[in-house]
């Protein structure tokens, strides 16, 4: 058993020799890290996770809305502008619970039976659009008509006429500098009965109106 003692001493000396060599050598840190990373991937591959790539065209995080202006404050500003303009003075500024509406008389803005604006109306809407261009609120335009079908002209029904007038007002507002999209709707005579308590002549005039609707929320960037 005496050889076991000699063998143990030899192993101890060899281990001491190699430890001494390692302590005297310079370890290249970059190569050492590469080796550790390679061993980590090989011995523990579950740590590798693929990033989830969004496939939707529009993501919630990518949609931003502009800062909107308080409708009560905006109503006071627009009321001064409307009252100062002899043309816009005939329109109505209506503050509803969730929106602000500028009701423009259709007979005042457009030529009879058409969606072509008068020169005076175009100028007034251009000035009004200059104010709306400085707000962040979302704007829409709704066109209406009375039940009487259009006689002659390029429009065969009140649906087309009301939509054409709404689109004409929306285009004029965009031309004046309003930066966001404006949604235009044509309602024909579907809502003419809402003013049944008003005198017939005034009711027909109100039915042929175009509403500029200002929402409390801001438009999208």
């Amino acid at each position: 058993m005496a050889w076991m003692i000699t063998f143990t001493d030899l192993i101890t000396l060899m281990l001491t020799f190699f430890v001494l060599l390692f302590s005297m050598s310079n370890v290249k840190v970059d190569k050492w890290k590469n080796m550790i990373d390679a061993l980590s991937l090989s011995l523990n591959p579950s740590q590798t996770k693929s990033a989830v790539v969004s496939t939707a065209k529009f993501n919630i995080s990518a949609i931003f809305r502009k800062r909107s202006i308080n409708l009560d404050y905006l109503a006071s500003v627009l009321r001064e502008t409307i009252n100062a303009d002899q043309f816009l003075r005939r329109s109505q500024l209506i503050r509803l619970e969730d929106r602000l509406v500028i009701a423009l008389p259709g007979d005042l803005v457009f030529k009879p039976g058409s969606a072509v604006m008068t020169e005076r109306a175009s100028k007034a809407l251009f000035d009004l659009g200059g104010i709306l261009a400085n707000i962040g609120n979302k704007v829409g335009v709704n066109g209406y008509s009375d039940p009487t079908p259009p006689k002659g002209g390029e429009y065969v029904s009140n649906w087309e006429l009301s939509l054409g007038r709404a689109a004409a007002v929306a285009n004029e507002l965009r031309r004046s500098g309003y930066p966001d999209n404006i949604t235009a709707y044509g309602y024909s005579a579907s809502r003419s009965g809402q003013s049944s308590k008003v005198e017939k002549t005034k009711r027909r005039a109100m039915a042929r109106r175009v509403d500029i609707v200002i929402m409390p929320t801001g438009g999208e960037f």
Side-chain angles (χ1 to χ4, degrees):
M1 299 293 294
W3 65 271
M4 290 290 294
I5 298 175
T6 304
F7 180 76
T8 303
D9 291 340
L10 178 61
I11 296 299
T12 303
L13 289 173
M14 292 180 64
L15 180 61
T16 303
F17 174 74
F18 287 116
V19 170
L20 181 63
L21 289 178
F22 180 78
S23 63
M24 295 174 62
S25 62
N26 294 324
V27 179
K28 295 182 178 181
V29 180
D30 54 344
K31 293 185 177 180
W32 179 257
K33 288 183 178 180
N34 292 337
M35 184 181 70
I36 293 176
D37 293 339
L39 291 175
S40 299
L41 293 175
S42 300
L43 299 177
N44 192 13
S46 61
Q47 292 183 353
T48 304
K49 296 181 179 180
S50 57
V52 179
V53 180
S54 58
T55 57
K57 185 176 181 181
F58 297 101
N59 300 313
I60 294 178
S61 59
I63 297 178
F64 301 93
R65 292 193 177 275
K66 297 180 180 180
R67 184 183 297 274
S68 58
I69 296 179
N70 180 270
L71 292 184
D72 293 326
Y73 170 76
L74 184 58
S76 62
V77 174
L78 290 176
R79 187 171 287 106
E80 293 181 3
T81 303
I82 290 174
N83 291 335
D85 190 294
Q86 293 183 354
F87 180 85
L88 293 176
R89 195 178 299 170
R90 293 181 56 184
S91 63
Q92 298 183 32
L93 186 63
I94 307 170
R95 175 67 169 95
L96 300 178
E97 183 178 355
D98 60 341
R99 65 196 65 190
L100 181 64
V101 179
I102 304 173
L104 302 171
D107 295 339
L108 181 67
V109 179
F110 297 97
K111 298 178 180 179
S114 73
V116 178
M117 280 189 289
T118 63
E119 184 178 352
R120 184 67 184 86
S122 180
K123 182 182 182 304
L125 285 176
F126 187 86
D127 295 339
L128 180 62
I131 298 177
L132 299 181
N134 296 317
I135 67 174
N137 301 60
K138 186 175 179 59
V139 174
V141 180
N142 299 332
Y144 304 91
S145 68
D146 60 32
T148 305
K151 297 179 181 180
E154 58 181 321
Y155 296 100
V156 296
S157 70
N158 283 323
W159 290 103
E160 296 174 352
L161 178 60
S162 61
L163 180 58
R165 289 183 169 183
V169 172
N171 290 334
E172 190 64 35
L173 294 178
R174 276 193 290 262
R175 191 176 70 86
S176 65
Y178 184 78
D180 299 328
N181 293 328
I182 301 177
T183 304
Y185 291 101
Y187 290 97
S188 185
S190 60
R191 301 189 180 182
S192 59
Q194 293 179 346
S195 306
S196 57
K197 296 182 180 180
V198 183
E199 189 221 337
K200 184 176 180 180
T201 304
K202 293 183 178 180
R203 183 168 69 247
R204 290 173 64 88
M206 290 178 61
R208 296 189 294 267
R209 73 187 188 278
V210 177
D211 289 347
I212 300 176
V213 183
I214 305 173
M215 306 302 294
T217 56
E220 298 176 2
F221 281 109

